[in-house]
Amino acid sequence: MEGFTLPCASTSLPTSLPLLQYPLKFSPSFRNSKCFSRHINTCMKLHPIRISSLRATATQETVVEASEIESQYVEIGYISSVHGLQGEVRVKPNTDFPELRFSEPGKRWLKQQMLGREIIKEVELLEGRGHHGQKSWIVKFNNVDKVEQAQQLVGSTILVLDEDRPELEEGDFYARDLAGMRVMLKETGEAVGTVVNVFDAGGNDLLQVKLDSSLETIDKNGNLKSEAPLVWIPFVEAIVPHVDLNNREMIITPPKGLLELNVRSDERSKKERRQLEWKERKKFQKQLIAAKKKLIEMDQKHVFDGLRYGEKDQRSLLADQIVDVNSQLLQVALQTIEKPSDRWQFSKFLAAYDTQKTRDVFKVSNGCLVSEDVKPTSSKIAERRSALISSGKVANILVVEGDTLKTSNSEGMDSLIQRLDEMENRQTTPLILICPDNTIETFQNLMANNDYFGFDPEKVWILEEEKIPVVNSSPGENKKHKILMKSPWEILQTPVGSGGVISLLSSNNVLESLAAMGVEYIEISSVDQRHVGGENLLSLVDSSEAHVGIKTFNGIDGADNDFYLVFSINFLTQLTKRVNKLTFDAVLRSNQHVEMVDKEWVDITPSSHNSYEFRSSIYTCLEGCSLDKVCVMEIVD
């Protein structure tokens, strides 16, 4: 089964992953439960399996179930990028019949996003060939002859008709035919549960079965919940001796203890669980008291008004937001209003750097390095960079802007997918994705459903962008700017910008983890940044023993949504310890909000600019940085 990577079985797996259509074959039974445990506690890549006796080939072709129309089709792959200049595209297959699907001419269908809707259109496949080094296929469609036309197809899913599934040998069947089957014990006839998915564990397939019984469990955050547990059952003849497709039932003879294996239950008593809940509540209360104290010191106690009104979940939402307010950043940002003349400017930094004689600006044109004092060849630079990456000394931070998810044609998401596909030596490269507010689950699913794009899941962090409250533009009592409330229970906040990366890293243990892995350099970039020639910057920073490398374009200031920098991990660690040195721009905006007037909440709709939103560029962290420890690369026409 291609197209999906599973987290280790020691974690709870989601039941909402798409079902994979592939034939299954029984494999020899496990000798003991320890062998089975080793299989389920490894990260599994879905692919076909073969077994004896009751055969079931594992052919992966994901069935689309989004609508009645889509149920007629089967996914066979997705278009990941453009190949060459003749309109060809590169396809990541989701099928075990790639030769049949991508080399034989004929009708295919493409599922695309168009104006916020999913559409399916017919296309004619002319030819295709395997690109085995990258486990992909290069295909050519009719009437697609230019790069521009091919680019419009990137991100599309390729479909075939469900009725065109290859016929299987007698006794074989597809995995999706197993989904929804009832599982029964052979000895007693007792119902065990229902098959919800089928995964491959390397030597054989595993049935993911939701048991009929429910029990109290504790999730990874220590929260109590009641759920029907999921268990893994090896799809081998000794354990699953009979499958009845007509009656939608299968008979199992599980070894003793198999059904209890990796069911995550909490064996503590109710009293102990209540004590745990009480400790967690006390911990949160202490955090809330500390956060309220800081906001009171800043004359922002009006933020707490909603805690006296509303439902429990509304008050809980406000309490969570109060705890999450980065009061240190807010204090620094408010100083921007009071002392606007003190703002640090990147253009002045570049001008000072350009006049310094100890280090030249490296200029890159068409991938070639031009410098008066350093003249390494492009191949040597590339070799140096490749050596650093392959040895695990480089980590990547990709900053995903909010607009990435708002574009109707999904260009932003396609750019992210293309960037992830292009990264070298991904198994050795740690990755930090910084995503917009309330999108962590979206990006977690994107990574999991695409086999983590070759990255080691243990080296992937997905963090939510740093936010900062919006304040009114007219200071009130004590000449203080008040935080605006979106509702009585929600603080009006906006993203900090790329400068928030430094603050975000300071409040997590990511840098410590990277240092323990042996990482020496961190590349930080926006998803849409123009990275032509930028691959040389890492090598230049290393060879120059610089602390930071910056890429600019034709001498223009780096834009906040288009940046590429390289930091030594030691210097970046120092930056996270002086977040108060970040500078902000206070931007006037019109924002609707609510205020409490005479003990009643009033909606405020401004007729002009009434508030400040704060933005910080990642370049501001360079203020005070020694120029002789900076390496600047300029991309020229």
Side-chain angles (χ1 to χ4, degrees):
M1 306 185 291
E2 304 94 84
F4 297 90
T5 294
L6 303 177
C8 296
S10 58
T11 61
S12 297
L13 294 175
T15 59
S16 58
L17 289 175
L19 294 175
L20 300 175
Q21 172 185 316
Y22 65 103
L24 306 173
K25 288 183 178 292
F26 281 117
S27 60
S29 59
F30 287 109
R31 295 181 181 178
N32 53 54
S33 60
K34 290 183 179 180
C35 179
F36 172 62
S37 180
R38 285 197 300 270
H39 277 273
I40 64 174
N41 282 285
T42 57
C43 292
M44 297 170 285
K45 182 176 181 181
L46 308 182
H47 59 79
I49 62 163
R50 298 182 179 276
I51 16 197
S52 60
S53 192
L54 187 60
R55 292 176 296 176
T57 323
T59 310
Q60 305 177 47
E61 294 192 345
T62 307
V63 178
V64 183
E65 299 178 344
S67 68
E68 183 177 348
I69 295 178
E70 290 183 349
S71 65
Q72 302 172 16
Y73 298 91
V74 174
E75 290 184 11
I76 59 172
Y78 75 95
I79 299 174
S80 62
S81 61
V82 174
H83 180 81
L85 304 176
Q86 306 302 319
E88 293 180 320
V89 294
R90 180 171 294 163
V91 174
K92 298 290 186 180
N94 280 349
T95 174
D96 289 321
F97 306 114
E99 293 82 6
L100 171 67
R101 298 310 195 187
F102 302 120
S103 64
E104 291 191 10
K107 292 181 180 180
R108 306 292 190 273
W109 287 262
L110 295 182
K111 183 176 69 172
Q112 297 176 297
Q113 288 280 346
M114 186 69 68
L115 299 178
R117 298 185 299 112
E118 281 190 344
I119 64 169
I120 296 177
K121 68 177 183 179
E122 182 178 321
V123 294
E124 186 77 12
L125 188 141
L126 300 181
E127 59 183 6
R129 62 188 184 277
H131 196 299
H132 302 296
Q134 297 191 17
K135 298 180 181 180
S136 61
W137 281 72
I138 309 301
V139 303
K140 173 75 172 176
F141 294 110
N142 189 32
N143 297 325
V144 181
D145 303 309
K146 299 180 180 179
V147 173
E148 293 78 7
Q149 294 173 312
Q151 286 175 337
Q152 296 178 4
L153 304 182
V154 174
S156 301
T157 302
I158 305 178
L159 312 173
V160 294
L161 290 176
D162 180 64
E163 63 191 33
D164 290 336
R165 288 189 299 173
E167 292 186 6
L168 304 178
E169 297 178 6
E170 184 177 356
D172 292 358
F173 44 90
Y174 285 95
R176 74 156 182 160
D177 295 332
L178 301 179
M181 275 193 173
R182 294 292 293 160
V183 180
M184 320 289 290
L185 287 175
K186 182 177 181 180
E187 291 184 359
T188 63
E190 178 185 356
V192 174
T194 304
V195 177
V196 295
N197 224 325
V198 184
F199 299 109
D200 179 80
N204 61 273
D205 278 23
L206 294 173
L207 303 175
Q208 189 182 41
V209 177
K210 178 180 285 189
L211 300 184
D212 288 342
S213 60
S214 63
L215 75 165
E216 283 189 331
T217 61
I218 281 188
D219 63 19
K220 62 181 180 181
N221 297 318
N223 299 318
L224 283 173
K225 58 181 180 179
S226 180
E227 64 176 6
L230 297 172
V231 298
W232 298 100
I233 297 178
F235 195 60
V236 295
E237 186 177 13
I239 297 177
V240 189
H242 181 67
V243 177
D244 188 344
L245 287 175
N246 293 327
N247 294 323
R248 306 289 297 155
E249 290 182 353
M250 65 174 62
I251 306 300
I252 66 171
T253 57
K256 184 178 180 180
L258 175 62
L259 296 181
E260 290 76 24
L261 189 63
N262 75 89
V263 174
R264 299 181 61 191
S265 61
D266 188 357
E267 298 178 352
R268 286 171 291 191
S269 66
K270 288 185 178 180
K271 180 179 179 181
E272 290 173 324
R273 291 198 295 268
R274 291 194 191 100
Q275 288 177 340
L276 176 63
E277 288 183 305
W278 181 81
K279 289 180 180 179
E280 290 299 319
R281 285 197 299 268
K282 293 296 290 184
K283 179 180 178 181
F284 180 79
Q285 286 297 326
K286 289 181 179 179
Q287 293 174 334
L288 181 60
I289 292 171
K292 290 174 70 174
K293 182 179 179 180
K294 291 179 181 178
L295 289 175
I296 290 172
E297 291 173 353
M298 299 171 65
D299 290 324
Q300 303 290 340
K301 62 180 180 180
H302 68 282
V303 171
F304 317 140
D305 289 341
L307 295 175
R308 302 193 300 270
Y309 305 91
E311 302 296 330
K312 181 179 179 181
D313 58 343
Q314 293 172 323
R315 299 194 304 272
S316 177
L317 171 63
L318 178 57
D320 288 338
Q321 289 199 332
I322 291 172
V323 169
D324 290 339
V325 168
N326 191 325
S327 56
Q328 182 184 24
L329 268 192
L330 181 58
Q331 286 177 316
V332 175
L334 288 172
Q335 294 173 5
T336 302
I337 303 174
E338 300 168 2
K339 302 178 181 178
S341 60
D342 292 343
R343 296 177 190 170
W344 181 86
Q345 296 181 7
F346 183 56
S347 57
K348 292 182 179 180
F349 177 88
L350 287 180
Y353 183 92
D354 196 36
T355 58
Q356 182 170 293
K357 301 303 181 183
T358 58
R359 192 189 299 277
D360 289 338
V361 173
F362 298 103
K363 297 182 183 294
V364 175
S365 176
N366 298 322
C368 297
L369 179 68
V370 180
S371 175
E372 296 179 359
D373 59 340
V374 180
K375 298 180 180 179
T377 64
S378 296
S379 61
K380 288 184 178 180
I381 293 175
E383 288 173 3
R384 192 182 192 102
R385 179 179 185 273
S386 179
L388 288 169
I389 294 176
S390 61
S391 59
K393 297 185 182 298
V394 182
N396 272 279
I397 297 180
L398 287 182
V399 182
V400 185
E401 292 288 329
D403 292 340
T404 298
L405 301 180
K406 295 179 181 178
T407 52
S408 58
N409 56 1
S410 300
E411 289 182 359
M413 189 64 77
D414 293 341
S415 297
L416 171 62
I417 292 174
Q418 185 172 354
R419 287 288 307 280
L420 294 173
D421 277 334
E422 290 173 350
M423 288 183 175
E424 303 174 74
N425 299 308
R426 282 168 278 186
Q427 279 291 332
T428 61
T429 305
L431 172 69
I432 299 97
L433 273 180
I434 299 179
C435 59
D437 185 26
N438 296 321
T439 61
I440 283 185
E441 185 175 352
T442 297
F443 285 92
Q444 286 174 336
N445 292 337
L446 174 70
M447 296 299 291
N449 293 346
N450 289 279
D451 197 13
Y452 280 85
F453 296 92
F455 289 91
D456 181 352
E458 297 296 323
K459 297 181 180 180
V460 175
W461 290 264
I462 302 179
L463 307 177
E464 190 173 275
E465 66 187 355
E466 186 79 84
K467 294 177 294 184
I468 193 168
V470 176
V471 302
N472 62 2
S473 56
S474 301
E477 297 178 4
N478 301 324
K479 297 183 179 180
K480 298 293 183 180
H481 296 270
K482 292 177 59 177
I483 294 174
L484 298 185
M485 303 298 295
K486 188 175 181 180
S487 77
W489 309 281
E490 189 173 0
I491 298 172
L492 184 60
Q493 301 185 85
T494 56
V496 170
S498 59
V501 174
I502 306 301
S503 173
L504 197 61
L505 293 175
S506 69
S507 58
N508 291 273
N509 295 321
V510 176
L511 289 182
E512 291 85 345
S513 299
L514 295 178
M517 293 178 186
V519 170
E520 296 180 4
Y521 296 101
I522 298 178
E523 297 179 324
I524 304 180
S525 65
S526 56
V527 169
D528 297 327
Q529 64 93 25
R530 295 165 286 175
H531 58 285
V532 177
E535 64 273 6
N536 296 327
L537 183 58
L538 172 64
S539 302
L540 292 174
V541 172
D542 181 60
S543 61
S544 303
E545 297 183 352
H547 289 163
V548 58
I550 310 167
K551 184 185 67 176
T552 65
F553 302 92
N554 295 317
I556 301 174
D557 290 7
D560 197 42
N561 61 348
D562 187 0
F563 54 89
Y564 175 79
L565 301 95
V566 176
F567 291 92
S568 71
I569 192 169
N570 292 333
F571 181 67
L572 192 56
T573 300
Q574 293 176 21
L575 290 178
T576 60
K577 295 178 180 179
R578 48 188 180 96
V579 175
N580 60 335
K581 298 297 183 181
L582 288 175
T583 59
F584 290 81
D585 286 324
V587 184
L588 273 172
R589 289 282 191 271
S590 297
N591 279 290
Q592 292 184 336
H593 62 283
V594 299
E595 289 183 4
M596 179 170 279
V597 180
D598 296 330
K599 298 184 179 181
E600 291 186 2
W601 292 103
V602 178
D603 292 321
I604 306 296
T605 302
S607 58
S608 60
H609 294 323
N610 69 326
S611 54
Y612 284 116
E613 296 179 5
F614 300 104
R615 297 283 293 183
S616 177
S617 169
I618 192 169
Y619 296 101
T620 66
C621 69
L622 300 174
E623 183 177 8
C625 179
S626 176
L627 293 176
D628 63 351
K629 291 297 183 180
V630 178
C631 178
V632 175
M633 171 181 283
E634 182 180 342
I635 310 298
V636 297
D637 294 333

